[in-house]
Amino acid sequence: MSLGAVVAFQSCKMKTTEAAVSGDAASKVYVAPGKYDEFYNFVSGGFSGQVSVYGLPSGRLLKVIPVFSQNPENGYGFNEETKPMLQTTHGYVPWDDQHHLALSQTNGEHDGRWLFANANNTPRVARIDLKTFKTVEILELPNSGGNHSSPFITENSEYIVGGTRFAVPIANQEAALTQASFKANFKSTVSFIAIDPNSGHMSVDFQVILPGMDLDLSRAGKGPSHGWFFFSTYNTEQANTLLEVNASQKDKDYIVAINWKKAQEYARAGKGKKMATEYYHNMLSEENHTATSEVVKEVLTLDPNELKDFVYLIPCPKSPHGCDVDPTGEYIVGSGKLAALIPVFAYQKITKAIADKAFEGDYYGIPVIKYEAALHGEVKKPGLGPLHTEFDGKGNAYTSFFVSSEVVKWSIKDLKVLDRVPTYYSIGHLMVPGGDTKKPYGKYVVAYNKITKDRYLPTGPELTQSAQLYSIDGDKMQLLLDYPTIGEPHYAQAILADKIKAQSAKIYDINANKHPYVSMGEKGTKVTREGNQVHVYMTAIRSHLTPDNIEGIQVGDEVYFHVTNLEQDWDVPHGFAIKHADNAELLVMPGETNTLKFVPKKPGVYPFYCTDFCSALHQEMQGYLRVSPKGSSVPLKWHTGKTDSAAAVATVR
């Protein structure tokens, strides 16, 4: 289809969008006041670097979880406790491009413990605790030129993976930007990140070194194919310029099949190579509410040119994006962006081809399985621009088509198209609740669209990002709802609300607070000076701050406000901000301690106050910081609700 035909096709669809919603659509998405949604829907925030949480079927935004970007709403990445979370070998990196998500699994089903997120730009993976909806761990990935094929997960959460989007020289060494240099020096890597089954803590177990090509998406095997990972690739041409032309020359690229259990055996037997490197591992303690960073100095690498029989390639037309495994674990679906069909591979045929050595040659020493030997069959003429496939657990698959802007339902058994519905417009990923598991919940498919045009009120040159909810309960898909999303929604995961809501934390037990600057009550508040560092031990409770009058601060002092929220009631956070702070505010949960650093640049009186409405007297929850010139003799003193003569006075050291 020509570009003009595509534009005309989409223009025609724009005129008929209202007709796509009919019948009982409104009643199917209506969630009455005081009622809960059936699903939590976790959506990647794309260039926002965050993760958003929606209720389904209502499409209501419940929360934005800060992960890879600073968030002034609650001080993440600004306060002293969370700054270490964003430390990397390239310094403090307070932004990233967040594409994909993976819920933890047990026996191939979502278990509601953790959510993992990837960072594409500065390669990292994060773990979010679903009891607190907080990012509690971020692990940097060495030898990675962009962490896109990530953080896809095994059926018992043994591993998540991080596959390189951009091939680069190992350790990012300098190399000439020529095709000859690319072929000689550029490599791809897959990081196998082990997950501790009890704590969820992540560690890079080993990396597989691959030829220089771009890894796009991935899925772990399940059931019979458990122990394998499958990755889509593009630019197997190894082009280094004008990839839209030069990386689209071949009729087929590859699906990379890695036998991770065999790779693990090699690693345990000491057959890999330890490589000196550096990468950050950042952890947020739920006891002291403070993050710390560890620098790891080496990584174990496995090279399939040296350790045979654990990496294979399967030809896949053409420039594949999606690489998806059905609930039985038998079928692997490739989605070639430039292909006019959908190839479906069979795990049993893949293993038989390996046993029979049914290879058509090799690619940089890695065996290439014959296409027909691995193929279950092809879905013929399904649409234009297939990207990503998920499953409903009833033998049906749902594939997104970017160019023809539609979701197509087809049968895995006989590869026949069963239904198609338009999307508005240019869908990227889609998501069926539980669609990556052994037991999908089904019921809905959500389209995450790149273009909206006429769907929402205009907001200048850029329109809102978009999601659309379809019912898949019946034989035919039905459009139910449009709703905006933050950032660019790439991929998402959805889980039954009942698996999470009962475990959701309501407070932090203040008696378990081990923060080094905690104030266990107002009597424990104080202000201390250590050279030019001033530490304010402060408490917040409805409706005052203690202390609320502080003097003796000098220009250039580093003032640390350590604010402890004394509340022990659900949904009573307190905020803290000070006039002219050049960072952000704090949002302190009940029983938690957070720290805001403030360096005054001019003498004066600086009001501070609670930023989160907490009571009828919220406006009165405020105080003053007096800042004197450098070298002033004004003594350090503080109080709340006391006369000047009764104010606490510190000896300046």
Side-chain angles (χ1 to χ4, degrees), residues 237-268:
E237 295 88 347
Q238 298 188 313
N240 65 294
T241 184
L242 198 63
L243 265 64
E244 66 173 330
V245 174
N246 295 322
S248 304
Q249 300 298 307
K250 294 182 178 181
D251 288 334
K252 293 182 176 68
D253 288 280
Y254 299 119
I255 299 293
V256 180
I258 299 180
N259 184 336
W260 64 257
K261 284 198 171 182
K262 190 158 192 176
Q264 186 185 63
E265 289 175 7
Y266 282 140
R268 299 293 180 268

Side-chain angles (χ1 to χ4, degrees), residues 168-328:
V168 293
I170 290 295
N172 202 29
Q173 298 296 314
E174 181 186 5
L177 297 180
T178 64
Q179 190 165 31
S181 174
F182 192 110
K183 292 181 176 181
N185 300 309
F186 286 56
K187 300 290 184 183
S188 297
T189 62
V190 176
S191 299
F192 281 80
I193 302 153
I195 308 301
D196 184 278
N198 298 313
S199 67
H201 291 177
M202 302 183 291
S203 60
V204 179
D205 197 10
F206 55 87
Q207 288 184 323
V208 177
I209 308 296
L210 296 173
M213 53 188 173
D214 295 355
L215 301 177
D216 204 343
L217 294 175
S218 178
R219 285 294 186 202
K222 54 177 74 79
S225 56
H226 177 65
W228 287 78
F229 251 106
F230 304 94
F231 300 83
S232 61
T233 70
Y234 64 101
N235 194 25
T236 56
E237 295 88 347
Q238 298 188 313
N240 65 294
T241 184
L242 198 63
L243 265 64
E244 66 173 330
V245 174
N246 295 322
S248 304
Q249 300 298 307
K250 294 182 178 181
D251 288 334
K252 293 182 176 68
D253 288 280
Y254 299 119
I255 299 293
V256 180
I258 299 180
N259 184 336
W260 64 257
K261 284 198 171 182
K262 190 158 192 176
Q264 186 185 63
E265 289 175 7
Y266 282 140
R268 299 293 180 268
K271 293 185 177 180
K273 291 182 178 178
K274 291 183 178 179
M275 180 184 295
T277 187
E278 284 192 357
Y279 57 98
Y280 269 75
H281 188 185
N282 307 322
M283 296 279 297
L284 181 69
S285 166
E286 295 191 353
E287 289 187 339
N288 61 23
H289 311 151
T290 301
T292 56
S293 297
E294 172 193 10
V295 179
V296 186
K297 297 287 189 178
E298 67 178 18
V299 66
L300 182 68
T301 63
L302 306 177
D303 189 335
N305 276 309
E306 299 172 3
L307 303 169
K308 301 296 184 180
D309 304 328
F310 78 100
V311 180
Y312 300 90
L313 302 177
I314 306 165
C316 182
K318 176 181 183 182
S319 298
H321 185 63
C323 178
D324 299 288
V325 180
D326 88 308
T328 70

Side-chain angles (χ1 to χ4, degrees), residues 12-35:
C12 177
K13 286 169 56 178
M14 290 179 190
K15 296 175 184 177
T16 60
T17 55
E18 289 184 6
V21 183
S22 61
D24 58 351
S27 65
K28 287 186 175 181
V29 300
Y30 179 68
V31 178
K35 299 296 183 181

Side-chain angles (χ1 to χ4, degrees), residues 538-587:
M538 180 177 283
T539 60
I541 196 167
R542 288 167 287 185
S543 296
H544 61 273
L545 299 162
T546 302
D548 64 6
N549 279 248
I550 304 168
E551 300 181 68
I553 306 302
Q554 299 180 15
V555 170
D557 281 346
E558 296 179 357
V559 184
Y560 295 88
F561 290 94
H562 309 288
V563 183
T564 300
N565 183 347
L566 297 180
E567 309 283 358
Q568 291 287 269
D569 193 6
W570 191 16
D571 195 29
V572 190
H574 286 299
F576 178 85
I578 186 165
K579 184 182 178 184
H580 299 313
D582 61 3
N583 39 27
E585 64 159 356
L586 300 176
L587 190 61

